[in-house]
Amino acid sequence: MFYRKNHIIVGLTTFNTEFLRISVPGLARFGRRVFLVLHNDNPAVRIRRRDIRRLGFRGRVHIINATENVGPMRARLNILATIQKLRLGHEWMVFCDDDDILTNIDIPTVAEHNFAVLQNMIEIRGRLIDVLRAMNNPCALVPDDEDVILHRPHIGMAGTLVRTKLMCAVGELIAGAIDAFRRIDDSLDYRAPDDAALWQAVAAYARHQNPAAAPIYMDRVNYVGTNVDTAARKYGRLRFPAAHAAARLENALCRYATAWAAVIAKIDPGL
């Protein structure tokens, strides 16, 4: 399969800004191929362009310093609104979390109906030595099914390349119905599965626009996820339900899907 050396947008969300020392040097490896849109969700800290330059990143960057904590979903929606405001013409984009490492941004040559590129993720489960190894050389990580886990494929928004135009259209629709999504978030006693819910929305909208739309799968690792920052510290909630996790997560995603279906039902099929 052929690859193109595309210039892409990376939407990076952060709250504990110290973790940018993990994600930003990884992005610096791509040089000027990346347009970085950074959303700082911590109103107590202000990030400046020089802070990003100190971490080695030399590409174009736009920084959003939030005046209040809006959470990961709203942070991503703000990134999408900024992409539209800046009128960025990049065909592809990808989201990244502040304590994760994006390792590959090459885009395969795909058909027009391929709206996303699913790939593999390596998850580091808390060992600092593995995080340091990944920061030095992500390719040096060896999955062991205990501390370093290979997810094949990784299904979620973080690390998934998506066509920018489609992603921004989904962002606009969710922003218009954010109260319905927030009510679901608030009803959960664990971290809202916003990453999976957003991917679910993107896939449903793509198929609404074109029944033949489908993601393409590349069997390669392009994302390293770390658990350096726990959900309890970051969001004040557990990462997963304490009991019956699989069933409760499935139920929550069904509720998000129902809310999203109500949004899509209002769309003129001719748009």
Side-chain angles (χ1 to χ4, degrees):
M1 183 170 287
F2 296 101
Y3 299 92
R4 293 178 293 174
K5 296 290 185 179
N6 296 62
H7 288 69
I8 74 163
I9 301 167
V10 175
L12 181 61
T13 54
T14 184
F15 179 80
N16 292 319
T17 57
E18 295 87 353
F19 289 125
L20 293 175
R21 298 178 186 179
I22 297 176
S23 54
V24 173
L27 297 176
R29 296 188 180 103
F30 304 127
R32 297 183 180 276
R33 292 175 59 198
V34 165
F35 189 116
L36 176 61
V37 181
L38 172 64
H39 188 287
N40 170 28
D41 204 27
N42 186 349
V45 177
R46 184 172 182 80
I47 299 176
R48 296 174 175 82
R49 186 174 277 102
R50 64 173 175 267
D51 300 321
I52 304 304
R53 298 298 186 221
R54 287 194 191 104
L55 296 174
F57 185 76
R58 295 292 178 266
R60 297 175 66 189
V61 58
H62 181 88
I63 299 170
I64 307 165
N65 285 297
T67 56
E68 62 177 333
N69 177 247
V70 298
M73 176 69 85
R74 286 296 299 271
R76 287 179 174 176
L77 296 182
N78 288 345
I79 286 173
L80 294 174
T82 299
I83 290 171
Q84 291 183 294
K85 182 179 178 180
L86 296 176
R87 298 183 180 181
L88 301 183
H90 302 66
E91 185 179 2
W92 294 87
M93 68 166 295
V94 63
F95 285 113
C96 183
D97 292 333
D98 56 0
D99 54 349
D100 296 341
I101 303 171
L102 191 64
T103 64
N104 194 311
I105 61 170
D106 289 341
I107 311 288
T109 302
V110 299
E112 286 297 319
H113 69 271
N114 294 130
F115 64 89
V117 182
L118 294 173
Q119 299 175 78
N120 303 331
M121 178 182 81
I122 286 180
E123 178 188 1
I124 298 174
R125 293 192 169 173
R127 288 202 320 187
L128 181 59
I129 185 64
D130 291 322
V131 177
L132 295 174
R133 285 172 181 158
M135 292 172 64
N136 183 54
N137 180 10
C139 298
L141 290 176
V142 178
D144 58 13
D145 296 327
E146 184 176 351
D147 297 305
V148 180
I149 311 297
L150 176 64
H151 295 274
R152 175 189 284 160
H154 167 57
I155 299 177
M157 285 312 310
T160 297
L161 293 158
V162 183
R163 292 188 185 273
T164 308
K165 187 176 180 180
L166 173 73
M167 192 72 248
C168 287
V170 171
E172 277 192 277
L173 290 170
I174 292 181
I178 193 64
D179 289 342
F181 287 85
R182 186 181 289 116
R183 282 194 293 271
I184 300 173
D185 294 350
D186 293 343
S187 70
L188 305 176
D189 59 359
Y190 54 93
R191 181 194 169 183
D194 48 79
D195 192 73
L198 189 54
W199 165 252
Q200 189 174 253
V202 168
Y205 180 75
R207 294 187 181 109
H208 172 81
Q209 297 296 88
N210 178 5
I216 190 170
Y217 171 57
M218 299 293 299
D219 189 9
R220 67 180 182 190
V221 174
N222 80 311
Y223 198 73
V224 177
T226 78
N227 288 331
V228 174
D229 198 13
T230 65
R233 285 198 303 261
K234 200 169 185 178
Y235 306 105
R237 298 183 180 187
L238 296 174
R239 184 181 180 192
F240 298 115
H244 310 294
R248 292 182 66 190
L249 282 169
E250 183 178 355
N251 178 263
L253 287 173
C254 285
R255 292 170 64 193
Y256 285 111
T258 300
W260 182 240
V263 174
I264 289 184
K266 298 176 183 178
I267 302 173
D268 181 352
L271 292 179

